Amino acid sequence: MKNIAIIPARGGSKRLPYKNNLLFGGIPLIAHSILFAQQNSDIVDEIYVSTDDEAIKKIALDYGAQVIHRPAYLSGDLEPTITAVQHALDVISDVVDTVVLLQATNPLRPENLLREAFEHYSISDSDSLFTVTRNHQKLGKISNHCFEPYNYIIGQRSQDLEPLYFENGLLYISKAKLIKEGKIFSQNSIPYEVNHIFASIDIDTQDDFDYAEYLYQKIIIHNS
């Protein structure tokens, strides 16, 4: 039985072309997730990159990951992540117990995140764990050109809001059997709260990339 890391990384990206290949902190964006998995070798037995792109394949191999060729029919703009992860499990011949899913677009993660999250997952009876972050904004919707508060009463202080959380994408830990059923997390999955500035990073646009670079320089480089 193995614990593996899977990093899905398509070649195509409309809003930020070739984003997974872009140099971030001096190395390709996808390399940060590979290195993060390697730094947790006591948990992760093998690392796989699922991609349809030849340049990403080369980067993955250069950084010590194994490559799974993702077919074109699983590489479209509207294709959900779960199908790529399911395909990866179908290709891997070994019996896999647990999958750590890492998104290449979340290159910055707290150093001990996987170790702490995996320990929390291991002592639970849940099928999966996913990271969340508390939202502190006053949210609402616009209906008939009017703003309707959703999570607060007008005049209420921000610190008195009922806690709401968002899925930050830093990592997912799932039993392989759950993924084969077409789910990354389910009703009995446990949220793992991460209130760290890195949880605000998910690179889809140039502005996202620039902000992530700023944090990398300010926090990673400054503290090294």
Side-chain angles (χ1 to χ4, degrees), residues 116-169:
E116 294 168 356
F118 198 86
E119 180 179 353
H120 195 67
Y121 165 78
S122 298
I123 63 176
S124 75
D125 59 356
S126 299
D127 289 331
S128 69
L129 172 150
F130 61 102
T131 53
V132 300
T133 298
R134 183 170 176 179
N135 175 76
H136 294 278
Q137 295 173 316
K138 294 181 177 180
L139 302 176
K141 58 184 179 180
I142 295 177
S143 179
N144 296 323
H145 307 290
C146 294
F147 182 80
E148 298 178 3
Y150 174 74
N151 65 329
Y152 71 103
I153 299 170
I154 292 177
Q156 185 178 10
R157 301 184 309 167
S158 296
Q159 57 265 45
D160 296 331
L161 295 177
E162 179 183 356
L164 289 177
Y165 300 84
F166 64 90
E167 183 184 336
N168 58 41

Side-chain angles (χ1 to χ4, degrees), residues 15-16 19 24 29 105 107-108 200-215:
R15 288 186 288 178
L16 185 59
K19 63 184 178 185
F24 177 83
L29 183 67
T105 52
L108 301 178
S200 66
I201 298 299
D202 187 1
I203 297 176
D204 283 317
T205 67
Q206 186 64 52
D207 286 344
D208 296 335
F209 188 90
D210 293 343
Y211 178 56
E213 277 274 24
Y214 166 76
L215 289 183

Side-chain angles (χ1 to χ4, degrees), residues 27 48 90-91 206:
I27 64 175
Y48 295 88
D90 288 341
V91 171
Q206 186 64 52

Side-chain angles (χ1 to χ4, degrees), residues 99-101 103 129-130 167 169-174 184-185:
V99 173
V100 177
L101 172 61
Q103 299 184 146
L129 172 150
F130 61 102
E167 183 184 336
L170 288 177
L171 63 80
Y172 302 82
I173 302 171
S174 299
I184 294 176
F185 55 86

